[in-house]
Amino acid sequence: MTLVQFLLIGAALFSMGLYGVITRKNAVLILASVELMLAAVNINMIAFDTYLQDPLHSGQIFSLFIIALAAAEVGIGIAIVLMIYRNRQSADVDELNLMKG
Amino acid sequence: MPILTETVAFGDWFREAANWAFLIIAAPTLFGAWRTVTSNNIVRAVLYLVVALAGTAAMFLMLGAAFVGWTVVLVYIGAVVILFLIGIMITRAPVGADTVLSHNREVKLPAALLSVVLFVVMAWAMIDAFGASMIEAFEPTLTSDLANVLFDRFVIPFEVVSFVLLAALIGSIAIARKDDEGDRR
């Protein structure tokens, strides 16, 4: 196995996640695209951890931290989307133009 | 800059059985990710996210990181995707096939261009820097080794992450709770 094949998969997932974040209108789907980007970062972490044969396994430890923080982020994000939906009857981010000058 | 001279020959690459397993895992991962960001059905988009994340979990298993792989299965596929589906159901998102979930072409074209440019730049940098790097034979990481490091060297960050999770839990309850005085709906 080469290292670069895993890095390329990570780069492809990250680019697709970026595409999703820019083009999606629904707030829940934007959060899903952010999850794709975080998964891409995790692939890089694990690939480098195995490649470097790190005795401390820092890559795996930090990908565990990323997973935990992503779970926290989704929890907060869904709560915010829910509150916006209660006040505006919509989860479409384009309609949140209250602060537009 | 001749970058291909330093990379591994393609014929040798295809002779290794693990690389075929990698291709079998990578294809559905990329397809799932692509459909996640393009599907017009919101529930299907989230379910394709399951495919993409299961592919990343399989890749972690390939790389000998069994504990992280199964954590991805439990936390992402088990909890986060269910949270997404609950969010979709609660906000009564349009589930039909003809609904608009993405921006129109004016946004999609620059976004696609930006993504492709980003991918090309990252791929060039990666091939340039690590094109000849092979992953040597490795032992799968023992979960006990991971636990020893996590609760020895990384115990402070671990506690901080636990605290962040607790704060996020309380915060999301406080945000999503209905106001006491009068229902604003």
Side-chain angles (χ1 to χ4, degrees):
Chain A
M1 289 188 288
T2 59
L3 172 63
V4 81
Q5 67 196 51
F6 293 98
L7 301 185
L8 287 178
I9 285 285
L13 282 184
F14 193 88
S15 308
M16 285 187 200
L18 178 72
Y19 177 81
V21 168
I22 297 173
T23 56
R24 284 303 199 185
K25 279 181 163 183
N26 188 289
V28 177
L29 288 178
I30 292 178
L31 282 175
S33 305
V34 172
E35 292 302 309
L36 271 184
M37 296 167 87
L38 290 169
V41 174
N42 276 343
I43 290 180
N44 272 26
M45 289 270 189
I46 304 282
F48 272 107
D49 184 81
T50 306
Y51 168 66
L52 297 170
Q53 309 222 335
D54 181 10
L56 280 179
H57 296 297
S58 317
Q60 295 190 30
I61 300 280
F62 273 87
S63 61
L64 284 175
F65 289 162
I66 292 174
I67 290 168
L69 291 177
E73 170 238 327
V74 168
I76 292 278
I78 294 284
I80 292 174
V81 170
L82 177 59
M83 195 188 63
I84 290 172
Y85 176 78
R86 265 205 210 115
N87 289 326
R88 309 290 302 259
Q89 273 75 42
S90 169
D92 189 334
V93 290
D94 280 358
E95 293 175 19
L96 302 177
N97 51 6
L98 213 65
M99 293 176 79
K100 195 172 181 180
Chain B
M1 189 177 238
I3 54 173
L4 279 175
T5 52
E6 294 167 15
T7 54
V8 183
F10 276 108
D12 291 342
W13 193 81
F14 279 111
R15 240 168 259 143
E16 207 176 325
N19 290 333
W20 287 95
F22 172 80
L23 286 181
I24 290 169
I25 294 168
T29 306
L30 290 178
F31 178 74
W34 175 243
R35 294 299 294 160
T36 302
V37 295
T38 56
S39 175
N40 271 330
N41 186 322
I42 186 165
V43 178
R44 276 196 194 159
V46 172
L47 291 180
Y48 274 118
L49 183 67
V50 173
V51 176
L53 293 173
T56 64
M59 259 176 232
F60 295 168
L61 294 183
M62 265 188 84
L63 286 165
F67 182 74
V68 183
W70 292 118
T71 306
V72 167
V73 171
L74 286 175
V75 174
Y76 273 113
I77 301 174
V80 169
V81 170
I82 298 299
L83 211 55
F84 278 137
L85 288 174
I86 288 174
I88 290 171
M89 303 300 167
I90 284 180
T91 56
R92 294 194 194 89
V95 176
D98 54 343
T99 51
V100 181
L101 295 172
S102 300
H103 285 283
N104 52 13
R105 203 162 282 252
E106 285 167 28
V107 179
K108 268 183 185 166
L109 279 181
L113 187 71
L114 181 66
S115 302
V116 169
V117 167
L118 179 72
F119 175 74
V120 169
V121 169
M122 282 199 290
W124 183 80
M126 285 162 178
I127 292 173
D128 192 39
F130 299 104
S133 304
M134 303 292 290
I135 295 180
E136 308 293 335
F138 57 87
E139 292 286 310
T141 310
L142 294 175
T143 306
S144 53
D145 290 348
L146 209 57
N148 281 334
V149 179
L150 186 59
F151 291 107
D152 182 10
R153 179 71 65 103
F154 291 105
V155 68
I156 301 288
F158 177 79
E159 293 296 334
V160 170
V161 167
S162 321
F163 201 76
V164 168
L165 267 179
L166 180 67
L169 181 75
I170 297 172
S172 52
I173 291 173
I175 291 172
R177 202 174 59 122
K178 277 180 189 161
D179 289 337
D180 286 336
E181 70 281 3
D183 200 354
R184 266 194 228 159
R185 231 190 283 197

